[in-house]
Amino acid sequence: MHSDDDLYYYDDEEEAMEDDDDGGGAWQDEVEDDDPLPSVERPPEFSAIKKESLSVAQQQDLSMVMGVFNIKQHHARALLIHYRWNTFRLNDHLERKGQDRMLTEAGVVLPRENKTTAAPPPPPASTTNKQPSRKKTKTKTKKKEASCNVCFEDFSPHAMSAMDCGHSFCDACWTGYFVSAIGGGSKQVRCMEFKCPAIVDEEVVHHFLGRKDPAMAERFQDLLLQSYVDDNSAVKWCPSVPHCGRAIRVASAELEMEPLCEVECPCGVSFCFRCAAATAHSPCPCAMWERWDAKGRGEAENTSWLCGGATGADHTWTSIAGHSCNRFKEEDKKKVDDAKRQLRRYEHYYKRFESHRLSCTVEREKIGPAVAKRVEELESHDSILIKDASWLSGAHRSLLACRRALAQSYVFAYYMFDAEETATVPPPEKGSLSMAQRQSLFEDYQEQVERNVEKLSELLGKDVMDMPDEDIVKVRQNAVNLVRVGETHCGKMYGCIQDELLPMLVEPMSIASFQPGGPSKAAELPA
């Protein structure tokens, strides 16, 4: 790790080169860099769905599956839940497995077909007209009662109901069963018969609950709607507090699991789509960020993928402190020294993380409104060269994205570069970079990102409206240069983490790709 004095060291030659630039040429070509800008993976498209629109989005998928498979809505829902609402996978498996196998694997039992036979032809006319007259006798036929295998009571056929699978029970037992199942949070109610996988028709459940417990019928409807989010790998609730009432859907066809990407809800909250953490935490992997977040809340840390762990050291210090001085042994002293070392190390990374996090807050809440005001003022300027203020808002977005990534890179470094914290493997090939060399490469990129972020923050803090036009053009030129250089270094830092450092971990991990300008914005889905 570089010293604190090195963190804010500026290269005089580099700064002089930027200050002497005359601003000529196209903006995209203003920075001459031997290293090309790292390729940026195109982010998926996101849509924000309000709660009142969820039923519409859900019904679209249900109707499509009902039409393709020629099945009822509750069977279509069971099939979609089994495939986590991934219609691409569903269509792919239909071609490879066939409909019958897919329905069986999803636990869908189709209703038995009612075999109808043709009515017998009427007897010949001569026979019917010449029947001998006889006295009609009335025969009393007793209605046959059926027994319910749950309550063991006998009922008339009108008080018994059979489901698609053919199993029949009394209406009272069905109603009680539905109330119990929905009260327990079941989104799919299966037949009461032992080991019967058949799913009860949603309309039947609504019918019985509507008569007995309308509130429970409403809860059932909410559970069905909730399944579109909870059982869907392409939809996540926004983690905003208080909740904004939106779910975010990613438009990606081949989703086997939640995609590793970051998104910004229209309410302004950015989050990780994979782990649903209420913070977009790249370039820190989800597992590391969960531990950091738990550490910040004072919760116990899960050390299943680590060797040793700082948790033991933290608690050791507390337990050792209560020992009598006369009872110290050599191993006790070593444990205390280790605990102190871990504490100092944590403070080292936490201070840098917190410093950049607070700077990001200031740049968003104070510099942001000031930049927006300057954009409006520049757009009303007489000069065509000055009127285009997109560079200013773009530079501010880039500043926030790089500052956030920089802060969270210290969380990654805290867990990555300590053998007691994280289990690693030796370099895979002879001649490949050692862990120390990989760490040095990462810290070089981290320092370069930090240097450019501080320069860009200082530049955006200036009031360009008080400057002559030629100075505004120079500021614009410097801002465009700093954005390009900063995003280049930030992309390289991400690449170093993904390609050089994460492969060294025993437990496989990955990070969301770097997106200049911050996480993708979800577009509101029309109601």
Side-chain angles (χ1 to χ4, degrees):
M1 172 59 64
H2 298 278
S3 66
D4 292 345
D5 294 335
D6 291 337
L7 290 180
Y8 299 101
Y9 171 77
Y10 290 17
D11 192 322
D12 294 335
E13 293 182 1
E14 181 181 349
E15 190 163 2
M17 179 191 71
E18 293 173 358
D19 292 341
D20 293 340
D21 197 299
D22 59 3
W27 291 2
Q28 290 80 0
D29 301 327
E30 286 167 347
V31 176
E32 294 182 2
D33 195 347
D34 294 337
D35 297 324
L37 186 69
S39 59
V40 177
E41 182 180 341
R42 184 178 180 182
E45 295 181 358
F46 296 91
S47 55
I49 310 173
K50 292 184 178 179
K51 190 173 182 180
E52 53 267 26
S53 301
L54 272 179
S55 59
V56 177
Q58 184 185 55
Q59 194 61 46
Q60 290 174 350
D61 290 346
L62 287 171
S63 299
M64 186 274 290
V65 174
M66 290 167 63
V68 171
F69 287 83
N70 192 26
I71 53 180
K72 293 182 178 180
Q73 179 166 297
H74 64 290
H75 294 137
R77 190 187 304 276
L79 200 56
L80 283 165
I81 289 177
H82 181 74
Y83 284 93
R84 294 185 61 77
W85 294 84
N86 190 326
T87 55
F88 176 86
R89 284 184 59 209
L90 193 145
N91 289 326
D92 178 59
H93 283 216
L94 178 60
E95 295 178 1
R96 296 191 289 110
K97 295 181 178 181
Q99 178 168 330
D100 292 342
R101 181 181 169 188
M102 288 181 65
L103 294 175
T104 301
E105 291 177 351
V108 174
V109 178
L110 296 179
R112 297 176 179 177
E113 294 181 2
N114 295 322
K115 296 181 180 180
T116 56
T117 56
S126 58
T127 307
T128 56
N129 293 336
K130 296 182 180 180
Q131 285 185 349
S133 61
R134 59 183 181 181
K135 187 177 181 181
K136 295 183 179 180
T137 58
K138 294 183 179 180
T139 58
K140 294 184 179 180
T141 58
K142 185 179 180 180
K143 289 186 177 179
K144 187 177 181 182
E145 292 186 340
S147 178
C148 174
N149 290 335
V150 174
C151 63
F152 300 105
E153 296 287 341
D154 293 333
F155 297 92
S156 67
H158 297 292
M160 302 279 289
S161 296
M163 301 302 151
D164 292 343
C165 53
H167 296 127
S168 179
F169 301 95
C170 73
D171 293 351
C173 286
W174 278 120
T175 303
Y177 173 65
F178 293 153
V179 170
S180 176
I182 304 307
S186 296
K187 302 167 189 173
Q188 292 180 300
V189 184
R190 299 189 182 273
C191 175
M192 279 196 292
E193 182 68 25
F194 183 62
K195 289 186 177 181
C196 179
I199 296 170
V200 180
D201 193 330
E202 298 162 7
E203 296 300 325
V204 173
V205 178
H206 277 296
H207 172 71
F208 279 97
L209 291 180
R211 294 186 302 178
K212 173 78 174 180
D213 192 341
M216 196 61 71
E218 272 187 45
R219 172 170 167 75
F220 180 54
Q221 187 60 37
D222 289 340
L223 288 172
L224 292 178
L225 192 62
Q226 189 176 338
S227 73
Y228 183 68
V229 179
D230 295 345
D231 303 313
N232 196 332
S233 60
V235 180
K236 286 284 179 72
W237 288 112
C238 171
S240 56
V241 178
H243 191 239
C244 68
R246 293 180 179 88
I248 306 300
R249 182 174 63 184
V250 58
S252 183
E254 304 181 21
L255 284 180
E256 294 289 339
M257 60 184 299
E258 290 84 354
L260 184 56
C261 53
E262 295 172 337
V263 58
E264 180 181 334
C265 179
C267 72
V269 171
S270 298
F271 67 97
C272 172
F273 199 87
R274 170 67 59 83
C275 68
T279 302
H281 55 71
S282 68
C284 181
C286 297
M288 291 183 180
W289 183 257
E290 287 171 3
R291 289 205 67 211
W292 180 267
D293 190 45
K295 196 176 188 72
R297 296 195 310 267
E299 297 180 1
E301 297 175 276
N302 179 10
T303 58
S304 60
W305 56 278
L306 300 172
C307 289
T311 304
D314 295 342
H315 292 296
T316 300
W317 172 247
T318 304
S319 60
I320 296 299
H323 286 193
S324 171
C325 293
N326 296 328
R327 298 181 60 186
F328 269 115
K329 296 180 180 179
E330 189 65 31
E331 60 268 19
D332 294 327
K333 184 177 183 303
K334 183 178 183 303
K335 288 180 180 179
V336 171
D337 291 341
D338 289 343
K340 288 181 177 180
R341 181 185 63 81
Q342 286 288 353
L343 181 59
R344 287 193 298 268
R345 184 173 180 275
Y346 174 72
E347 289 177 347
H348 172 85
Y349 284 98
Y350 178 79
K351 285 179 179 178
R352 285 154 180 76
F353 162 77
E354 187 67 8
S355 174
H356 288 295
R357 189 189 69 82
L358 292 176
S359 295
C360 187
T361 300
V362 171
E363 290 159 352
R364 180 177 60 252
E365 297 180 357
K366 292 186 177 181
I367 295 182
V371 166
K373 181 180 178 181
R374 289 171 199 148
V375 168
E376 292 181 1
E377 293 173 346
L378 288 175
E379 288 176 344
S380 62
H381 200 280
D382 296 333
S383 173
I384 296 180
L385 293 176
I386 306 299
K387 289 185 67 156
D388 185 0
S390 58
W391 62 272
L392 193 54
S393 55
H396 184 252
R397 287 195 302 270
S398 179
L399 171 65
L400 296 179
C402 292
R403 177 75 79 179
R404 178 188 57 79
L406 182 60
Q408 283 143 193
S409 70
Y410 284 100
V411 178
F412 167 77
Y414 171 71
Y415 287 106
M416 184 74 210
F417 302 126
D418 191 345
E420 294 183 12
E421 285 289 348
T422 307
T424 58
V425 297
E429 299 177 359
K430 288 185 177 181
S432 60
L433 296 177
S434 65
M435 176 59 80
Q437 290 172 321
R438 295 168 195 247
Q439 179 178 354
S440 178
L441 180 63
F442 163 78
E443 290 175 350
D444 283 342
Y445 288 137
Q446 189 183 47
E447 181 182 353
Q448 290 167 357
V449 172
E450 189 161 17
R451 183 183 304 169
N452 279 275
V453 161
E454 297 300 339
K455 289 181 180 180
L456 185 57
S457 179
E458 181 182 356
L459 184 146
L460 291 180
K462 296 179 180 179
D463 189 357
V464 296
M465 300 311 300
D466 295 335
M467 300 179 182
D469 289 0
E470 57 269 19
D471 289 346
I472 295 179
V473 172
K474 287 184 179 180
V475 170
R476 180 189 68 186
Q477 181 68 47
N478 285 336
V480 172
N481 286 342
L482 287 172
V483 166
R484 181 172 176 81
V485 173
E487 290 180 350
T488 298
H489 292 319
C490 206
K492 289 179 180 178
M493 182 177 70
Y494 271 67
C496 178
I497 292 173
Q498 183 65 58
D499 300 334
E500 301 293 342
L501 293 171
L502 292 182
M504 303 293 288
L505 297 179
V506 171
E507 180 73 15
M509 295 186 193
S510 189
I511 59 173
S513 60
F514 173 64
Q515 298 299 333
S520 304
K521 295 181 182 293
E524 290 276 16
L525 186 71

